[in-house]
Amino acid sequence: MTYQPASNRYENMEYRRCGNSGLKLSAFSLGLWHNFGENSDFENSRNLIKTAFDNGITHFDLANNYGPPPGSAETCFGKILKTDFNNYRDEMIISSKAGYTMWDGPYGDWGSKKYLTSSLDQSLKRMDLEYVDIFYHHRPDPETPLEETMAALNLIVQQGKALYVGISNYRPAEAEKAFKILKEMGTPCLIHQPKYSMFERWVEDGLLDLLGKEKVGCIPFSPLAQGLLTDKYLNGIPADSRVATSGQFLKADHITPERLEKIMALNSIAQERGQKLAQMALAWILRDDRITSVLIGSSKPEQIIDSIKALENTNFSTAELEKINSILK
C-alpha cells in the first residue's frame, strides 16, 4: 500500500525560524545516527521516518559516517525516500555532514575541500538526491585553514548541491571566525549543531550568546545525554538499553550514584510539571528562543510521539529553573 501521510501533520508541531533566514524548522528533528544502519530492522526504520513525518517533523539529520557501517544510514534513508516519500521531498529538510573519518587515506577525514566535496558527492549518491537542504562541516580541523573549509561549503552551495550550510562542534571563537568568512563569501552560516543537554552546558558559556548576536540557528544534539535524562535508568540498567547492548558512547560507569541522585531529583520536578523526565529535559532546551530545533533519536515510533509531547509545556517558572540549577551544580 502506498504511504499516505497524516493530513493533519502540521497542526500540532511548532516551527521556528532558523536564525536570519527564510527557513523554518520543526521544533524537533529526527537524527539518524542510530537505528538506520545495516543491522537495523528496515521496517522499523521506515516506521520511524513515517511516524516523525506524520507528526509534523520535517527535518531529517544524517552524516556521511552514520550507520554502522559508515554510509549505511544514508543508504537506508535513500531507500525509504524512494519507497515512501517520492512525492514529499519538497516538504522535507534533509541534512548531511562530513568531518569525521569516512574512508582510508589522507582525503577521507577532517576539513579539506577535497574531502568535503567528495564526501557530499558520495552522500548524494547513497540517498539518490540531487541536493541536500543543509550541509555541515562536522567538526573543526586543526590543520586545514578555516578559509579552505568554509570555501568548500561556499562552493557546494554555488554548485547547487546544498541550499544552506552549517557547522557542528565548533567552540565560540572558531564559530565566530567561520561566520565572518562565510558572510564575506556571500553564503551565511544557517545553523550550528552543538552537543547540549542538562548535563552538558558548555554552549551557555558564550556560544548561545554568539548565535543570538549573529542570528545563526541552533540545533542541539544528544539533548537526553544518551538516555541518561530519561526514566530508563532509575531502577537499574534495562537489558535492551544502549548501555547494555552497545556501551560504546554510554557506559555503565557513567551512571554513578551521584549522577543517579541528580536524575531522580530532576525526575521529581518533571512529575510535578506533569511531564516525563525526557519531556522536561527537551522542554528545558526549547524554552530558549535561540534554539531552533532539537535533535531526537529513537528506536521505537512511540518514543517520537512521546518526545513531541514536550511541546505541551516549555515554560518554566523562576523557582523551577533555580531548583534545576541547584541539582545540576
Side-chain angles (χ1 to χ4, degrees):
M1 183 181 294
T2 304
Y3 166 62
Q4 294 289 331
S7 60
N8 64 343
R9 58 189 177 276
Y10 295 118
E11 292 179 7
N12 297 313
M13 177 55 65
E14 178 184 343
Y15 298 90
R16 298 184 172 194
R17 187 165 300 282
C18 193
N20 195 36
S21 75
L23 187 69
K24 291 183 178 180
L25 296 182
S26 46
F28 289 108
S29 301
L30 186 64
L32 278 67
W33 182 25
H34 295 288
N35 307 309
F36 292 86
E38 281 186 2
N39 295 330
S40 299
D41 179 84
F42 180 71
E43 286 306 312
N44 185 60
S45 299
R46 282 179 75 188
N47 286 333
L48 292 173
I49 300 294
K50 291 177 182 179
T51 300
F53 196 68
D54 281 343
N55 286 276
I57 291 177
T58 54
H59 181 207
F60 300 89
D61 184 72
L62 298 105
N64 58 353
N65 63 333
Y66 288 177
S72 59
E74 290 181 328
T75 300
C76 174
F77 185 65
K79 291 177 181 176
I80 295 168
L81 287 176
K82 190 171 184 178
T83 303
D84 302 304
F85 289 90
N86 262 344
N87 295 327
Y88 303 100
R89 170 65 180 98
D90 293 339
E91 296 183 44
M92 305 173 82
I93 299 295
I94 299 169
S95 62
S96 193
K97 316 177 198 72
Y100 284 93
T101 303
M102 188 59 194
W103 63 85
D104 292 337
Y107 316 121
D109 201 348
W110 293 106
S112 72
K113 185 179 287 188
K114 167 70 173 176
Y115 168 54
L116 294 181
T117 56
S118 299
S119 178
L120 179 54
D121 284 344
Q122 292 178 21
S123 293
L124 293 174
K125 287 179 182 177
R126 282 190 288 267
M127 293 186 282
D128 195 19
L129 291 174
E130 295 180 357
Y131 70 95
V132 291
D133 296 281
I134 307 169
F135 184 67
Y136 294 87
H137 185 222
H138 211 161
R139 62 170 173 172
D141 182 347
E143 296 183 348
T144 299
L146 191 58
E147 290 79 4
E148 177 180 342
T149 301
M150 295 304 107
L153 297 183
N154 178 58
L155 174 65
I156 282 164
V157 170
Q158 290 179 334
Q159 291 175 331
K161 295 175 181 177
L163 301 183
Y164 304 92
V165 295
I167 57 176
S168 180
N169 295 303
Y170 276 60
R171 296 284 165 165
E174 300 165 322
E176 188 169 23
K177 291 177 185 176
F179 298 162
K180 184 174 185 294
I181 294 168
L182 284 170
K183 189 178 293 184
E184 289 173 351
M185 290 178 174
T187 302
C189 184
L190 175 79
I191 195 164
H192 188 303
Q193 188 174 133
K195 191 174 188 179
Y196 183 31
S197 73
M198 284 179 162
F199 287 154
E200 180 117 20
R201 300 177 65 175
W202 68 271
V203 303
E204 297 171 6
D205 296 327
L207 183 63
L208 284 176
D209 289 338
L210 174 67
L211 298 180
K213 182 184 76 171
E214 295 292 332
K215 293 184 169 33
V216 173
C218 184
I219 180 167
F221 69 91
S222 292
L224 301 180
Q226 295 291 308
L228 285 177
L229 288 165
T230 69
D231 54 15
K232 186 180 295 184
Y233 299 107
L234 290 175
N235 299 303
I237 299 175
D240 64 346
S241 67
R242 191 171 294 172
V243 169
T245 59
S246 171
Q248 183 178 0
F249 296 99
L250 180 64
K251 303 180 187 300
D253 58 11
H254 292 168
I255 309 175
T256 62
E258 180 186 15
R259 178 60 60 86
L260 189 57
E261 185 178 338
K262 291 182 177 183
I263 293 169
M264 294 177 72
L266 291 169
N267 188 57
S268 295
I269 298 176
Q271 289 177 334
E272 291 170 4
R273 288 171 51 85
Q275 292 179 314
K276 294 182 179 179
L277 175 55
Q279 291 166 343
M280 184 182 77
L282 295 169
W284 179 84
I285 294 178
L286 284 166
R287 82 190 194 282
D288 192 322
D289 60 12
R290 293 169 296 187
I291 301 297
T292 311
S293 181
V294 176
L295 276 166
I296 56 172
S298 179
S299 59
K300 301 171 185 175
E302 52 267 30
Q303 291 173 340
I304 295 173
I305 297 169
D306 217 37
S307 293
I308 292 172
K309 289 179 181 177
L311 291 173
E312 294 173 5
N313 185 9
T314 57
N315 296 313
F316 288 79
S317 68
T318 301
E320 284 176 326
L321 291 174
E322 288 176 351
K323 195 171 181 181
I324 289 169
N325 282 331
S326 68
I327 293 168
L328 295 175
K329 281 181 181 177

